[in-house]
Amino acid sequence: MGKARIAIVGGDDREFILAGELARQGYDIHLCGFAARAPEETKNFSCPREAVRGVQAVILPMAGVKGDFSVHCPGNARPPVINADFFAALPVNTPVFIGWATKELKELAANVRLIEIAQDDELAVLNSIPTAEGAIALAINETPITIHGNKAMVVGFGRCGITLGRMLGAMGAQVTVAARKASQRARAGEMGFSTCGISDLCQHVETMAFIFNTIPAPVLTEEVLAHAGKCYLLVDIASGGGTDFAAARSLGIKALLAPGLPGKVAPETSGNILAKVMPRLLSENGIGGD
């Protein structure tokens, strides 16, 4: 049985590293969107439809596809466009992996099996490391105070929140975790953190020097932010954000929306994480190596 042929269409340094690693693992890799740059043992194409000819699966960028259906492809002045003709060139139910997909892309890709991988447990836990490091780097670079000895709140205690809370605590921050679930608050308490419910944010943000949001829902509202007068920096790493940024500006709170931190702060590590996880995802969808 021959090698599985995979097309990687667009992406940044993460997907570039992934391409080289998959090629070394025995996959036949077709690239599109990386201009003249291509790892050894891969084939480079300028046309997306040519790149996907004869493939068993397609990998689109972790960063997703833009509103005009062009793929995230920094450094390429003419990034590939993923249109109806592109998907029509693929056999029905071809696995197409992407970090996350818009409603519009899902409608366009109705004939294939679009698989959003950003929330895969293994990938999300591993990516929480560069995400947390990136959020903390912003806090260090954007404020005149140390994390050590100051109060920091982590809103949400899922995969990223747990890693972020642990790192902040290890740096000497006085960490408070705000979470909806009693089980999450119990875990945070077991780890030595103070806790509160989301409904109690107004009382607990008052003394916070740093606030980190991980919940992709409107939790840091104008009402909550009005009580956060001592906050030096708010960093929102949730997909789409959960902060009222207009209210933050009007209240004089420095707030940053920081999506996609793994690819920005640690692309090599993030690419290697993808290379570790992707063979399993391919195998689970019937795609093997040699």
Side-chain angles (χ1 to χ4, degrees), residues 95-167:
V96 176
F97 300 90
I98 189 170
W100 60 276
T102 62
K103 177 185 176 183
E104 292 76 14
L105 183 65
K106 291 176 182 177
E107 292 173 353
L108 193 67
N111 68 305
V112 301
R113 192 151 32 102
L114 196 63
I115 302 164
E116 297 177 272
I117 65 173
Q119 293 303 311
D120 175 82
D121 279 336
E122 182 185 11
L123 185 61
V125 169
L126 292 173
N127 268 335
S128 74
I129 300 167
T131 298
E133 287 192 7
I136 290 171
L138 286 172
I140 292 170
N141 292 330
E142 297 288 337
T143 64
I145 61 172
T146 60
I147 288 173
H148 184 279
N150 279 297
K151 293 186 177 182
M153 172 174 279
V154 177
V155 183
F157 208 56
R159 290 161 299 204
C160 281
I162 290 171
T163 303
L164 186 53
R166 182 181 293 116
M167 287 187 182

Short mmCIF file of all heavy atoms in Angstrom, two decimals, residues 95-167:
data_model
loop_
_atom_site.label_atom_id
_atom_site.label_comp_id
_atom_site.label_asym_id
_atom_site.label_seq_id
_atom_site.Cartn_x
_atom_site.Cartn_y
_atom_site.Cartn_z
N PRO A 95 -11.87 14.01 4.16
CA PRO A 95 -11.58 14.74 5.41
C PRO A 95 -10.81 16.03 5.13
O PRO A 95 -9.78 16.01 4.46
CB PRO A 95 -10.71 13.76 6.20
CG PRO A 95 -10.93 12.42 5.58
CD PRO A 95 -11.21 12.70 4.13
N VAL A 96 -11.34 17.16 5.62
CA VAL A 96 -10.68 18.46 5.48
C VAL A 96 -10.51 19.02 6.89
O VAL A 96 -11.49 19.36 7.56
CB VAL A 96 -11.50 19.42 4.60
CG1 VAL A 96 -10.83 20.79 4.55
CG2 VAL A 96 -11.65 18.85 3.19
N PHE A 97 -9.27 19.10 7.35
CA PHE A 97 -8.97 19.54 8.71
C PHE A 97 -8.69 21.04 8.73
O PHE A 97 -8.03 21.57 7.85
CB PHE A 97 -7.74 18.79 9.25
CG PHE A 97 -7.91 17.31 9.31
CD1 PHE A 97 -7.54 16.51 8.23
CD2 PHE A 97 -8.43 16.69 10.43
CE1 PHE A 97 -7.68 15.13 8.28
CE2 PHE A 97 -8.59 15.32 10.49
CZ PHE A 97 -8.21 14.53 9.40
N ILE A 98 -9.21 21.70 9.76
CA ILE A 98 -9.01 23.14 9.91
C ILE A 98 -9.08 23.46 11.40
O ILE A 98 -9.73 22.73 12.17
CB ILE A 98 -10.08 23.93 9.12
CG1 ILE A 98 -9.76 25.43 9.08
CG2 ILE A 98 -11.48 23.68 9.66
CD1 ILE A 98 -10.65 26.22 8.11
N GLY A 99 -8.40 24.52 11.81
CA GLY A 99 -8.46 24.88 13.22
C GLY A 99 -9.89 25.17 13.65
O GLY A 99 -10.41 24.58 14.60
N TRP A 100 -10.53 26.10 12.97
CA TRP A 100 -11.92 26.41 13.22
C TRP A 100 -12.53 26.92 11.93
O TRP A 100 -11.82 27.41 11.05
CB TRP A 100 -12.07 27.46 14.33
CG TRP A 100 -11.39 28.75 14.00
CD1 TRP A 100 -10.07 29.06 14.19
CD2 TRP A 100 -11.98 29.91 13.39
NE1 TRP A 100 -9.80 30.33 13.74
CE2 TRP A 100 -10.95 30.88 13.25
CE3 TRP A 100 -13.27 30.22 12.97
CZ2 TRP A 100 -11.18 32.14 12.69
CZ3 TRP A 100 -13.50 31.47 12.41
CH2 TRP A 100 -12.46 32.41 12.28
N ALA A 101 -13.84 26.78 11.79
CA ALA A 101 -14.52 27.13 10.54
C ALA A 101 -15.70 28.05 10.80
O ALA A 101 -16.44 27.87 11.77
CB ALA A 101 -15.00 25.88 9.82
N THR A 102 -15.87 29.03 9.94
CA THR A 102 -17.02 29.91 10.02
C THR A 102 -18.26 29.20 9.49
O THR A 102 -18.17 28.17 8.80
CB THR A 102 -16.80 31.18 9.17
OG1 THR A 102 -16.64 30.79 7.79
CG2 THR A 102 -15.56 31.94 9.64
N LYS A 103 -19.41 29.75 9.79
CA LYS A 103 -20.67 29.20 9.29
C LYS A 103 -20.66 29.18 7.76
O LYS A 103 -21.11 28.21 7.13
CB LYS A 103 -21.84 30.03 9.81
CG LYS A 103 -23.20 29.61 9.28
CD LYS A 103 -24.29 30.55 9.75
CE LYS A 103 -25.63 30.19 9.14
NZ LYS A 103 -26.70 31.15 9.54
N GLU A 104 -20.12 30.24 7.17
CA GLU A 104 -20.09 30.35 5.71
C GLU A 104 -19.22 29.26 5.09
O GLU A 104 -19.56 28.69 4.05
CB GLU A 104 -19.59 31.74 5.29
CG GLU A 104 -20.53 32.89 5.61
CD GLU A 104 -20.52 33.29 7.08
OE1 GLU A 104 -19.59 32.86 7.82
OE2 GLU A 104 -21.45 34.01 7.50
N LEU A 105 -18.07 28.99 5.73
CA LEU A 105 -17.20 27.94 5.19
C LEU A 105 -17.87 26.58 5.32
O LEU A 105 -17.78 25.74 4.41
CB LEU A 105 -15.86 27.94 5.93
CG LEU A 105 -14.84 26.93 5.41
CD1 LEU A 105 -14.42 27.26 3.98
CD2 LEU A 105 -13.62 26.85 6.32
N LYS A 106 -18.55 26.34 6.41
CA LYS A 106 -19.24 25.06 6.60
C LYS A 106 -20.28 24.85 5.51
O LYS A 106 -20.45 23.74 4.99
CB LYS A 106 -19.88 25.01 7.98
CG LYS A 106 -18.89 24.93 9.12
CD LYS A 106 -19.58 24.99 10.47
CE LYS A 106 -18.59 24.96 11.62
NZ LYS A 106 -19.23 25.07 12.94
N GLU A 107 -20.98 25.91 5.15
CA GLU A 107 -21.99 25.81 4.08
C GLU A 107 -21.32 25.52 2.74
O GLU A 107 -21.81 24.72 1.94
CB GLU A 107 -22.80 27.10 4.00
CG GLU A 107 -23.69 27.32 5.22
CD GLU A 107 -24.36 28.68 5.23
OE1 GLU A 107 -24.03 29.51 4.35
OE2 GLU A 107 -25.21 28.93 6.11
N LEU A 108 -20.17 26.18 2.50
CA LEU A 108 -19.46 26.00 1.24
C LEU A 108 -18.88 24.59 1.12
O LEU A 108 -18.78 24.04 0.03
CB LEU A 108 -18.32 27.03 1.15
CG LEU A 108 -17.64 27.23 -0.19
CD1 LEU A 108 -18.60 27.83 -1.20
CD2 LEU A 108 -16.42 28.13 -0.04
N ALA A 109 -18.53 24.01 2.27
CA ALA A 109 -17.85 22.71 2.28
C ALA A 109 -18.80 21.56 2.59
O ALA A 109 -18.40 20.56 3.18
CB ALA A 109 -16.73 22.74 3.31
N ALA A 110 -20.05 21.69 2.18
CA ALA A 110 -21.07 20.70 2.54
C ALA A 110 -20.78 19.31 1.98
O ALA A 110 -21.24 18.30 2.55
CB ALA A 110 -22.45 21.17 2.08
N ASN A 111 -20.02 19.20 0.89
CA ASN A 111 -19.78 17.89 0.27
C ASN A 111 -18.60 17.14 0.87
O ASN A 111 -18.40 15.97 0.57
CB ASN A 111 -19.55 18.05 -1.24
CG ASN A 111 -18.23 18.77 -1.53
OD1 ASN A 111 -18.00 19.87 -1.03
ND2 ASN A 111 -17.38 18.16 -2.34
N VAL A 112 -17.81 17.81 1.74
CA VAL A 112 -16.67 17.14 2.36
C VAL A 112 -16.91 16.99 3.86
O VAL A 112 -17.90 17.47 4.40
CB VAL A 112 -15.36 17.93 2.10
CG1 VAL A 112 -15.11 18.06 0.61
CG2 VAL A 112 -15.40 19.29 2.79
N ARG A 113 -15.99 16.33 4.54
CA ARG A 113 -16.08 16.16 5.99
C ARG A 113 -15.15 17.18 6.63
O ARG A 113 -13.96 16.97 6.77
CB ARG A 113 -15.69 14.73 6.36
CG ARG A 113 -16.00 14.34 7.77
CD ARG A 113 -16.28 12.82 7.89
NE ARG A 113 -15.55 12.03 6.95
CZ ARG A 113 -14.44 11.32 7.23
NH1 ARG A 113 -13.94 11.34 8.43
NH2 ARG A 113 -13.84 10.61 6.30
N LEU A 114 -15.71 18.33 7.01
CA LEU A 114 -14.93 19.42 7.60
C LEU A 114 -14.73 19.14 9.08
O LEU A 114 -15.69 19.01 9.83
CB LEU A 114 -15.65 20.75 7.39
CG LEU A 114 -14.83 22.03 7.58
CD1 LEU A 114 -13.69 22.11 6.57
CD2 LEU A 114 -15.74 23.26 7.44
N ILE A 115 -13.48 19.04 9.51
CA ILE A 115 -13.15 18.64 10.87
C ILE A 115 -12.40 19.77 11.56
O ILE A 115 -11.27 20.09 11.19
CB ILE A 115 -12.29 17.36 10.86
CG1 ILE A 115 -13.03 16.23 10.13
CG2 ILE A 115 -11.93 16.94 12.29
CD1 ILE A 115 -12.15 15.07 9.73
N GLU A 116 -13.05 20.38 12.57
CA GLU A 116 -12.41 21.46 13.33
C GLU A 116 -11.58 20.85 14.45
O GLU A 116 -12.11 20.15 15.30
CB GLU A 116 -13.47 22.40 13.89
CG GLU A 116 -14.28 23.11 12.82
CD GLU A 116 -15.38 23.99 13.41
OE1 GLU A 116 -16.48 23.46 13.64
OE2 GLU A 116 -15.11 25.18 13.63
N ILE A 117 -10.28 21.14 14.44
CA ILE A 117 -9.39 20.44 15.35
C ILE A 117 -8.92 21.29 16.53
O ILE A 117 -8.26 20.77 17.43
CB ILE A 117 -8.15 19.90 14.60
CG1 ILE A 117 -7.29 21.03 14.04
CG2 ILE A 117 -8.59 18.94 13.51
CD1 ILE A 117 -5.98 20.55 13.44
N ALA A 118 -9.26 22.58 16.56
CA ALA A 118 -8.76 23.44 17.64
C ALA A 118 -9.19 22.95 19.02
O ALA A 118 -8.49 23.18 20.01
CB ALA A 118 -9.21 24.88 17.43
N GLN A 119 -10.35 22.28 19.09
CA GLN A 119 -10.86 21.82 20.38
C GLN A 119 -10.56 20.35 20.65
O GLN A 119 -11.05 19.79 21.63
CB GLN A 119 -12.37 22.07 20.46
CG GLN A 119 -12.75 23.53 20.49
CD GLN A 119 -12.08 24.27 21.65
OE1 GLN A 119 -12.10 23.82 22.79
NE2 GLN A 119 -11.47 25.40 21.35
N ASP A 120 -9.76 19.73 19.80
CA ASP A 120 -9.30 18.38 20.11
C ASP A 120 -8.56 18.42 21.45
O ASP A 120 -7.70 19.28 21.67
CB ASP A 120 -8.36 17.88 19.01
CG ASP A 120 -7.76 16.53 19.33
OD1 ASP A 120 -8.44 15.52 19.11
OD2 ASP A 120 -6.60 16.50 19.82
N ASP A 121 -8.87 17.51 22.35
CA ASP A 121 -8.33 17.57 23.71
C ASP A 121 -6.81 17.59 23.74
O ASP A 121 -6.20 18.42 24.42
CB ASP A 121 -8.86 16.40 24.56
CG ASP A 121 -10.25 16.66 25.10
OD1 ASP A 121 -10.61 17.84 25.24
OD2 ASP A 121 -10.97 15.70 25.39
N GLU A 122 -6.18 16.65 23.05
CA GLU A 122 -4.72 16.59 23.08
C GLU A 122 -4.11 17.87 22.53
O GLU A 122 -3.20 18.45 23.13
CB GLU A 122 -4.22 15.38 22.28
CG GLU A 122 -2.70 15.24 22.31
CD GLU A 122 -2.18 14.12 21.42
OE1 GLU A 122 -2.96 13.58 20.61
OE2 GLU A 122 -0.99 13.80 21.53
N LEU A 123 -4.61 18.30 21.38
CA LEU A 123 -4.06 19.50 20.75
C LEU A 123 -4.29 20.73 21.61
O LEU A 123 -3.39 21.57 21.78
CB LEU A 123 -4.71 19.69 19.37
CG LEU A 123 -4.18 20.84 18.52
CD1 LEU A 123 -2.70 20.66 18.21
CD2 LEU A 123 -4.98 20.95 17.22
N ALA A 124 -5.49 20.85 22.18
CA ALA A 124 -5.81 22.03 22.99
C ALA A 124 -4.97 22.10 24.26
O ALA A 124 -4.51 23.18 24.65
CB ALA A 124 -7.30 22.04 23.34
N VAL A 125 -4.75 20.96 24.90
CA VAL A 125 -3.92 20.96 26.12
C VAL A 125 -2.49 21.33 25.78
O VAL A 125 -1.87 22.17 26.46
CB VAL A 125 -3.99 19.59 26.82
CG1 VAL A 125 -2.93 19.50 27.91
CG2 VAL A 125 -5.38 19.36 27.42
N LEU A 126 -1.94 20.74 24.74
CA LEU A 126 -0.56 21.06 24.36
C LEU A 126 -0.44 22.52 23.92
O LEU A 126 0.53 23.21 24.26
CB LEU A 126 -0.09 20.12 23.25
CG LEU A 126 0.09 18.66 23.66
CD1 LEU A 126 0.38 17.79 22.44
CD2 LEU A 126 1.20 18.52 24.68
N ASN A 127 -1.43 23.02 23.18
CA ASN A 127 -1.39 24.42 22.73
C ASN A 127 -1.62 25.40 23.88
O ASN A 127 -1.29 26.59 23.76
CB ASN A 127 -2.44 24.66 21.65
CG ASN A 127 -1.87 24.45 20.26
OD1 ASN A 127 -0.67 24.57 20.03
ND2 ASN A 127 -2.74 24.14 19.31
N SER A 128 -2.17 24.91 24.99
CA SER A 128 -2.38 25.81 26.13
C SER A 128 -1.05 26.31 26.69
O SER A 128 -0.99 27.36 27.33
CB SER A 128 -3.18 25.11 27.23
OG SER A 128 -2.40 24.16 27.93
N ILE A 129 0.03 25.57 26.44
CA ILE A 129 1.34 25.97 26.96
C ILE A 129 1.84 27.24 26.26
O ILE A 129 2.10 28.25 26.92
CB ILE A 129 2.34 24.82 26.86
CG1 ILE A 129 1.85 23.62 27.68
CG2 ILE A 129 3.73 25.26 27.33
CD1 ILE A 129 2.60 22.33 27.39
N PRO A 130 1.99 27.24 24.91
CA PRO A 130 2.40 28.50 24.27
C PRO A 130 1.36 29.61 24.42
O PRO A 130 1.71 30.80 24.44
CB PRO A 130 2.62 28.12 22.80
CG PRO A 130 1.88 26.84 22.61
CD PRO A 130 1.93 26.14 23.93
N THR A 131 0.08 29.24 24.54
CA THR A 131 -0.95 30.25 24.75
C THR A 131 -0.73 30.97 26.08
O THR A 131 -0.74 32.20 26.15
CB THR A 131 -2.35 29.63 24.72
OG1 THR A 131 -2.59 29.05 23.44
CG2 THR A 131 -3.43 30.67 25.00
N ALA A 132 -0.54 30.20 27.14
CA ALA A 132 -0.32 30.79 28.46
C ALA A 132 0.97 31.60 28.50
O ALA A 132 1.02 32.71 29.04
CB ALA A 132 -0.31 29.70 29.52
N GLU A 133 2.03 31.05 27.91
CA GLU A 133 3.29 31.78 27.90
C GLU A 133 3.14 33.10 27.13
O GLU A 133 3.68 34.14 27.54
CB GLU A 133 4.40 30.93 27.26
CG GLU A 133 4.88 29.80 28.15
CD GLU A 133 6.15 29.15 27.64
OE1 GLU A 133 6.73 29.66 26.65
OE2 GLU A 133 6.56 28.12 28.22
N GLY A 134 2.40 33.07 26.03
CA GLY A 134 2.20 34.29 25.25
C GLY A 134 1.39 35.33 26.00
O GLY A 134 1.70 36.52 25.97
N ALA A 135 0.36 34.89 26.72
CA ALA A 135 -0.47 35.82 27.50
C ALA A 135 0.35 36.45 28.62
O ALA A 135 0.25 37.65 28.89
CB ALA A 135 -1.68 35.08 28.07
N ILE A 136 1.18 35.64 29.27
CA ILE A 136 2.03 36.16 30.34
C ILE A 136 3.08 37.11 29.78
O ILE A 136 3.40 38.14 30.40
CB ILE A 136 2.66 34.99 31.12
CG1 ILE A 136 1.57 34.26 31.93
CG2 ILE A 136 3.77 35.49 32.05
CD1 ILE A 136 2.04 32.96 32.56
N ALA A 137 3.62 36.79 28.60
CA ALA A 137 4.59 37.69 27.96
C ALA A 137 3.98 39.06 27.70
O ALA A 137 4.63 40.11 27.89
CB ALA A 137 5.10 37.08 26.66
N LEU A 138 2.73 39.08 27.27
CA LEU A 138 2.04 40.36 27.07
C LEU A 138 1.94 41.12 28.38
O LEU A 138 2.16 42.34 28.43
CB LEU A 138 0.64 40.12 26.49
CG LEU A 138 0.56 39.72 25.02
CD1 LEU A 138 -0.87 39.34 24.66
CD2 LEU A 138 1.03 40.87 24.13
N ALA A 139 1.59 40.41 29.45
CA ALA A 139 1.47 41.06 30.76
C ALA A 139 2.80 41.64 31.21
O ALA A 139 2.85 42.74 31.79
CB ALA A 139 0.95 40.06 31.79
N ILE A 140 3.87 40.94 30.95
CA ILE A 140 5.20 41.43 31.33
C ILE A 140 5.60 42.64 30.50
O ILE A 140 6.11 43.64 31.02
CB ILE A 140 6.25 40.30 31.17
CG1 ILE A 140 5.99 39.20 32.22
CG2 ILE A 140 7.67 40.84 31.30
CD1 ILE A 140 6.80 37.93 31.99
N ASN A 141 5.36 42.56 29.20
CA ASN A 141 5.82 43.61 28.29
C ASN A 141 4.95 44.87 28.31
O ASN A 141 5.44 45.95 27.98
CB ASN A 141 5.87 43.07 26.85
CG ASN A 141 6.94 42.03 26.65
OD1 ASN A 141 7.97 42.07 27.32
ND2 ASN A 141 6.72 41.09 25.74
N GLU A 142 3.69 44.73 28.71
CA GLU A 142 2.75 45.84 28.58
C GLU A 142 2.45 46.55 29.90
O GLU A 142 1.63 47.46 29.92
CB GLU A 142 1.44 45.34 27.98
CG GLU A 142 1.55 44.78 26.56
CD GLU A 142 1.79 45.86 25.52
OE1 GLU A 142 1.44 47.04 25.79
OE2 GLU A 142 2.33 45.54 24.45
N THR A 143 3.12 46.14 30.98
CA THR A 143 2.83 46.77 32.27
C THR A 143 4.13 47.15 32.99
O THR A 143 5.18 46.55 32.72
CB THR A 143 2.02 45.83 33.19
OG1 THR A 143 2.81 44.67 33.50
CG2 THR A 143 0.72 45.41 32.53
N PRO A 144 4.05 48.12 33.92
CA PRO A 144 5.25 48.53 34.65
C PRO A 144 5.45 47.79 35.96
O PRO A 144 6.28 48.18 36.79
CB PRO A 144 4.96 50.02 34.92
CG PRO A 144 3.48 50.06 35.11
CD PRO A 144 2.91 49.02 34.17
N ILE A 145 4.69 46.71 36.17
CA ILE A 145 4.77 45.97 37.44
C ILE A 145 5.12 44.51 37.18
O ILE A 145 5.04 44.03 36.04
CB ILE A 145 3.44 46.05 38.22
CG1 ILE A 145 2.30 45.43 37.41
CG2 ILE A 145 3.11 47.49 38.60
CD1 ILE A 145 1.00 45.28 38.17
N THR A 146 5.52 43.83 38.24
CA THR A 146 5.81 42.41 38.13
C THR A 146 4.53 41.60 38.31
O THR A 146 3.55 42.06 38.92
CB THR A 146 6.82 41.96 39.21
OG1 THR A 146 6.26 42.22 40.50
CG2 THR A 146 8.15 42.67 39.05
N ILE A 147 4.56 40.38 37.78
CA ILE A 147 3.49 39.43 38.08
C ILE A 147 3.64 38.93 39.52
O ILE A 147 2.66 38.82 40.25
CB ILE A 147 3.54 38.27 37.07
CG1 ILE A 147 3.06 38.78 35.69
CG2 ILE A 147 2.69 37.10 37.53
CD1 ILE A 147 3.21 37.80 34.58
N HIS A 148 4.86 38.68 39.92
CA HIS A 148 5.14 38.23 41.28
C HIS A 148 4.61 39.23 42.30
O HIS A 148 4.84 40.44 42.19
CB HIS A 148 6.65 38.07 41.47
CG HIS A 148 7.04 37.51 42.81
ND1 HIS A 148 7.11 38.28 43.94
CD2 HIS A 148 7.35 36.24 43.19
CE1 HIS A 148 7.46 37.54 44.97
NE2 HIS A 148 7.61 36.29 44.55
N GLY A 149 3.86 38.73 43.25
CA GLY A 149 3.37 39.58 44.34
C GLY A 149 2.12 40.36 44.03
O GLY A 149 1.59 41.05 44.90
N ASN A 150 1.64 40.27 42.80
CA ASN A 150 0.41 40.99 42.44
C ASN A 150 -0.75 40.02 42.20
O ASN A 150 -0.54 38.81 42.01
CB ASN A 150 0.65 41.84 41.19
CG ASN A 150 1.34 43.15 41.53
OD1 ASN A 150 0.79 43.98 42.25
ND2 ASN A 150 2.56 43.33 41.04
N LYS A 151 -1.95 40.57 42.23
CA LYS A 151 -3.15 39.75 42.10
C LYS A 151 -3.52 39.58 40.62
O LYS A 151 -3.56 40.56 39.87
CB LYS A 151 -4.31 40.38 42.86
CG LYS A 151 -4.10 40.37 44.38
CD LYS A 151 -5.32 40.87 45.11
CE LYS A 151 -5.12 40.78 46.63
NZ LYS A 151 -6.32 41.22 47.35
N ALA A 152 -3.78 38.34 40.26
CA ALA A 152 -4.14 38.02 38.88
C ALA A 152 -5.38 37.14 38.88
O ALA A 152 -5.46 36.17 39.64
CB ALA A 152 -3.00 37.31 38.17
N MET A 153 -6.33 37.49 38.02
CA MET A 153 -7.54 36.67 37.90
C MET A 153 -7.53 35.93 36.57
O MET A 153 -7.22 36.51 35.53
CB MET A 153 -8.79 37.55 37.99
CG MET A 153 -10.08 36.79 37.67
SD MET A 153 -11.56 37.78 37.95
CE MET A 153 -11.73 37.59 39.74
N VAL A 154 -7.88 34.66 36.62
CA VAL A 154 -8.09 33.85 35.42
C VAL A 154 -9.58 33.56 35.33
O VAL A 154 -10.15 32.93 36.23
CB VAL A 154 -7.29 32.53 35.49
CG1 VAL A 154 -7.58 31.67 34.26
CG2 VAL A 154 -5.79 32.82 35.60
N VAL A 155 -10.21 34.04 34.28
CA VAL A 155 -11.65 33.85 34.09
C VAL A 155 -11.84 32.64 33.17
O VAL A 155 -11.46 32.66 32.00
CB VAL A 155 -12.30 35.10 33.48
CG1 VAL A 155 -13.81 34.91 33.36
CG2 VAL A 155 -11.99 36.33 34.34
N GLY A 156 -12.41 31.60 33.74
CA GLY A 156 -12.55 30.33 33.03
C GLY A 156 -11.44 29.38 33.45
O GLY A 156 -10.28 29.79 33.58
N PHE A 157 -11.78 28.11 33.65
CA PHE A 157 -10.78 27.16 34.13
C PHE A 157 -10.85 25.87 33.32
O PHE A 157 -10.91 24.77 33.85
CB PHE A 157 -10.96 26.89 35.62
CG PHE A 157 -9.69 26.52 36.33
CD1 PHE A 157 -8.58 27.34 36.29
CD2 PHE A 157 -9.62 25.34 37.07
CE1 PHE A 157 -7.41 26.99 36.96
CE2 PHE A 157 -8.47 24.98 37.75
CZ PHE A 157 -7.35 25.82 37.69
N GLY A 158 -10.84 26.08 31.99
CA GLY A 158 -10.73 24.93 31.10
C GLY A 158 -9.27 24.63 30.84
O GLY A 158 -8.41 24.88 31.68
N ARG A 159 -8.97 24.13 29.65
CA ARG A 159 -7.60 23.68 29.36
C ARG A 159 -6.60 24.83 29.42
O ARG A 159 -5.52 24.70 30.01
CB ARG A 159 -7.59 22.98 28.00
CG ARG A 159 -8.32 21.64 28.05
CD ARG A 159 -8.74 21.11 26.72
NE ARG A 159 -9.67 21.98 26.02
CZ ARG A 159 -10.52 21.56 25.08
NH1 ARG A 159 -10.55 20.30 24.74
NH2 ARG A 159 -11.32 22.40 24.48
N CYS A 160 -6.95 25.97 28.80
CA CYS A 160 -6.03 27.12 28.85
C CYS A 160 -6.00 27.75 30.24
O CYS A 160 -4.94 28.15 30.73
CB CYS A 160 -6.43 28.16 27.82
SG CYS A 160 -5.91 27.77 26.14
N GLY A 161 -7.15 27.83 30.88
CA GLY A 161 -7.22 28.46 32.20
C GLY A 161 -6.40 27.72 33.23
O GLY A 161 -5.72 28.34 34.07
N ILE A 162 -6.42 26.39 33.18
CA ILE A 162 -5.65 25.60 34.13
C ILE A 162 -4.15 25.85 33.96
O ILE A 162 -3.42 26.10 34.92
CB ILE A 162 -5.97 24.10 33.98
CG1 ILE A 162 -7.39 23.81 34.46
CG2 ILE A 162 -4.96 23.24 34.74
CD1 ILE A 162 -7.88 22.41 34.14
N THR A 163 -3.69 25.82 32.71
CA THR A 163 -2.26 26.04 32.45
C THR A 163 -1.85 27.45 32.83
O THR A 163 -0.80 27.67 33.44
CB THR A 163 -1.95 25.78 30.97
OG1 THR A 163 -2.34 24.44 30.64
CG2 THR A 163 -0.47 25.94 30.67
N LEU A 164 -2.69 28.41 32.48
CA LEU A 164 -2.39 29.81 32.80
C LEU A 164 -2.34 30.03 34.30
O LEU A 164 -1.42 30.69 34.82
CB LEU A 164 -3.44 30.70 32.14
CG LEU A 164 -3.26 32.21 32.22
CD1 LEU A 164 -1.89 32.64 31.73
CD2 LEU A 164 -4.36 32.90 31.41
N GLY A 165 -3.31 29.49 35.03
CA GLY A 165 -3.32 29.64 36.48
C GLY A 165 -2.09 29.03 37.13
O GLY A 165 -1.47 29.64 38.01
N ARG A 166 -1.70 27.86 36.65
CA ARG A 166 -0.52 27.18 37.21
C ARG A 166 0.74 28.02 36.97
O ARG A 166 1.57 28.18 37.87
CB ARG A 166 -0.38 25.80 36.59
CG ARG A 166 0.80 25.00 37.15
CD ARG A 166 0.94 23.65 36.50
NE ARG A 166 -0.17 22.78 36.84
CZ ARG A 166 -1.06 22.31 35.97
NH1 ARG A 166 -0.98 22.67 34.70
NH2 ARG A 166 -2.02 21.52 36.36
N MET A 167 0.90 28.55 35.75
CA MET A 167 2.09 29.34 35.43
C MET A 167 2.14 30.64 36.24
O MET A 167 3.18 31.02 36.77
CB MET A 167 2.13 29.66 33.93
CG MET A 167 2.49 28.49 33.05
SD MET A 167 2.72 29.04 31.33
CE MET A 167 3.05 27.47 30.54
#
